[in-house]
Amino acid sequence: MASGSALDIHVRQVTKSYGAIVVLDRVDLDVRPGEFLTLLGPSGSGKTTLLMVLAGFTRPDSGSILFGEREVIRLAPHKRDLGMVFQNYALFPHMDVATNIGFPLRLRGVNSADIAKRVEAALEMVQLGGYGTRGVHELSGGQRQRVALARALVFEPRIILMDEPLSALDKQLRELMQLELRRLHEKLGTTTIYVTHDQREALTMSDRIAVINNGKVAQLDTPQHIYSKPKSRFVAEFIGESTFLNVTVTDGVCRYHDQVIKADGAPVQNGPCLLMIRPEQVLILDSAAQEGMNCFSGRIASRVFQGDTVRLEVQLSRGDAITLRIAANSAGLAAVPSDSETITLGLPIADTTLLLEEV
Ligand SMILES: Nc1ncnc2c1ncn2[C@@H]1O[C@H](COP(=O)(O)OP(=O)(O)OP(=O)(O)O)[C@@H](O)[C@H]1O
Ligand SMILES: [Mg+2]
């Protein structure tokens, strides 16, 4: 089941307020044709509202939305040619599986022979072949979510919007469905906007991630860049663990106290900024300072066994603490000095990231 050629989406300066609360604040977002783009952000940041605006259920106060070349802001939801999957399935409980999936086709006036064929194909696609006559109440959570997905895909929309579709499932099923959604996306190539507040889900599934904070896009980038090159403290803290050291940039040179810090890429503007250190980026060096590294000396203040890794906190002589993680295997553990020794930590220059407090 191939959808029509994939569509690009352009959100321009979209604003939506409820009373005095600005929920979407001049949002700009460009989604590429066939892309799997995830909106990731904390609760209340405006993700669902943005999806509802795209779907046409919520009218923004101002701004423009293009699907391809077409301005859709005044278009009714059913004319926008998009499929939607919600968190709570939203299936019709009194209809069987096939009738649920065929519903969008009946709305569009497709004849019943074609509906039967397309419903069966959609069921196969979500690996529920033969389930058409089951009642919705006879399905597990994961099966219900597959039916909801089949119903969203059956009319071959050019865009699909999903709002936390897996959040009702347990961890194992959620991970299975993540892979399936990804597989389906690769097969169909439908432009997809996916909402989650689960950072790992976003990193696993997306071509690109838009991190949303307070109704604004804080950063739009690939999962790799969002993780390793966040543009702000907010993005860095929202995705993964990190330590921040206060540093100062003067005439393009970054210093932590009097120590020069070398970073990959362009230096941030002059003034105070932050050195971001991810726990897995830091190495324990067996000698003093090394080439290609920013080095820090300190003492181990705590060690916590976490199964696959050991989390160490190293108290620097300057008072800050750096958290690092090492593999909990014999080689990794053998490299950890005792608490009383002074150790040298190395942060490769290629991994050294400077960022601004606020963007
Ligand atoms: N119909 C409404 N009337 C008034 N306020 C609303 C309405 N819909 C949403 N809001 C407010 O807009 C803000 C954003 O809500 P939204 O549902 O878009 O957040 P979200 O990012 O989807 O959060 P979550 O992760 O919890 O689903 C919230 O502060 C919410 O209270
Ligand atoms: Mg929401």
Side-chain angles (χ1 to χ4, degrees):
M1 190 182 297
S3 33
S5 57
L7 268 186
D8 45 332
I9 301 172
H10 303 280
V11 176
R12 294 269 175 271
Q13 295 287 301
V14 162
T15 295
K16 175 74 191 170
S17 301
Y18 289 108
I21 303 168
V22 181
V23 176
L24 297 176
D25 187 3
R26 290 162 291 157
V27 172
D28 285 321
L29 187 68
D30 293 295
V31 188
R32 297 173 185 149
E35 183 167 41
F36 194 115
L37 184 133
T38 297
L39 306 178
L40 175 70
S43 186
S45 56
K47 305 180 297 293
T48 296
T49 306
L50 181 53
L51 223 56
M52 288 297 152
V53 166
L54 285 164
F57 296 116
T58 298
R59 185 79 176 264
D61 304 330
S62 58
S64 147
I65 297 170
L66 295 171
F67 289 177
E69 311 266 281
R70 188 177 192 198
E71 173 60 68
V72 297
I73 210 113
R74 266 172 281 279
L75 216 57
H78 66 279
K79 294 197 172 150
R80 293 193 182 194
D81 192 18
L82 44 82
M84 282 204 79
V85 183
F86 302 94
Q87 177 174 0
N88 55 2
Y89 326 127
L91 297 174
F92 305 113
H94 54 286
M95 294 180 190
D96 67 14
V97 165
T99 320
N100 260 286
I101 297 175
F103 187 78
L105 297 175
R106 265 195 309 286
L107 271 187
R108 288 167 172 79
V110 179
N111 70 56
S112 33
D114 280 347
I115 291 181
K117 253 188 267 165
R118 288 169 70 174
V119 166
E120 200 45 48
L123 277 170
E124 291 291 339
M125 198 164 58
V126 297
Q127 301 183 349
L128 282 180
Y131 276 70
T133 54
R134 289 255 197 135
V136 166
H137 62 280
E138 295 172 293
L139 302 176
S140 71
Q143 289 167 337
R144 282 177 207 199
Q145 202 47 280
R146 282 166 210 245
V147 172
L149 186 62
R151 189 178 58 181
L153 292 170
V154 74
F155 61 97
E156 300 176 24
R158 298 179 75 188
I159 294 170
I160 180 152
L161 306 178
M162 299 196 229
D163 194 355
E164 312 226 16
L166 309 182
S167 62
L169 309 180
D170 65 40
K171 185 169 179 287
Q172 224 175 345
L173 196 52
R174 198 161 65 225
E175 286 171 1
L176 185 77
M177 286 295 293
Q178 286 171 3
L179 296 178
E180 285 209 15
L181 283 177
R182 202 48 237 194
R183 177 185 62 81
L184 260 178
H185 178 257
E186 265 148 37
K187 187 163 159 213
L188 300 176
T190 314
T191 307
T192 303
I193 303 186
Y194 187 92
V195 168
T196 183
H197 58 248
D198 179 339
Q199 41 160 295
R200 193 163 287 274
E201 187 165 293
L203 291 171
T204 309
M205 299 186 68
S206 323
D207 294 321
R208 288 191 303 162
I209 297 172
V211 180
I212 312 288
N213 184 24
N214 276 333
K216 285 198 176 82
V217 179
Q219 189 169 350
L220 171 60
D221 221 325
T222 59
Q224 291 81 356
H225 276 147
I226 292 276
Y227 184 82
S228 61
K229 299 283 168 210
K231 288 201 175 121
S232 63
R233 181 173 191 146
F234 175 81
V235 173
E237 285 187 325
F238 198 71
I239 303 221
E241 200 183 343
S242 35
T243 300
F244 298 97
L245 300 182
N246 289 305
V247 293
T248 311
V249 178
T250 316
D251 298 330
V253 179
C254 175
R255 284 190 180 78
Y256 173 59
H257 298 274
D258 53 358
Q259 176 185 352
V260 172
I261 301 290
K262 296 201 172 114
D264 189 32
V268 236
Q269 69 203 42
N270 283 341
C273 64
L274 296 167
L275 168 59
M276 177 191 83
I277 305 173
R278 298 286 197 197
E280 70 282 2
Q281 292 174 329
V282 190
L283 313 169
I284 298 175
L285 304 179
D286 50 13
S287 61
Q290 276 180 22
E291 281 293 305
M293 302 262 184
N294 291 301
C295 296
F296 305 90
S297 62
R299 279 207 176 118
I300 296 174
S302 77
R303 49 181 92 205
V304 180
F305 178 63
Q306 295 186 313
D308 53 344
T309 55
V310 177
R311 187 174 181 277
L312 300 177
E313 199 175 85
V314 174
Q315 187 73 44
L316 304 185
S317 35
R318 301 263 175 41
D320 295 305
I322 291 182
T323 301
L324 63 145
R325 231 182 275 132
I326 53 161
N329 53 30
S330 49
L333 295 175
V336 181
S338 69
D339 290 3
S340 58
E341 283 175 71
T342 298
I343 62 170
T344 306
L345 298 180
L347 174 67
I349 290 171
D351 290 334
T352 301
T353 306
L354 299 175
L355 27 102
L356 299 170
E357 184 82 32
E358 294 289 338
V359 169

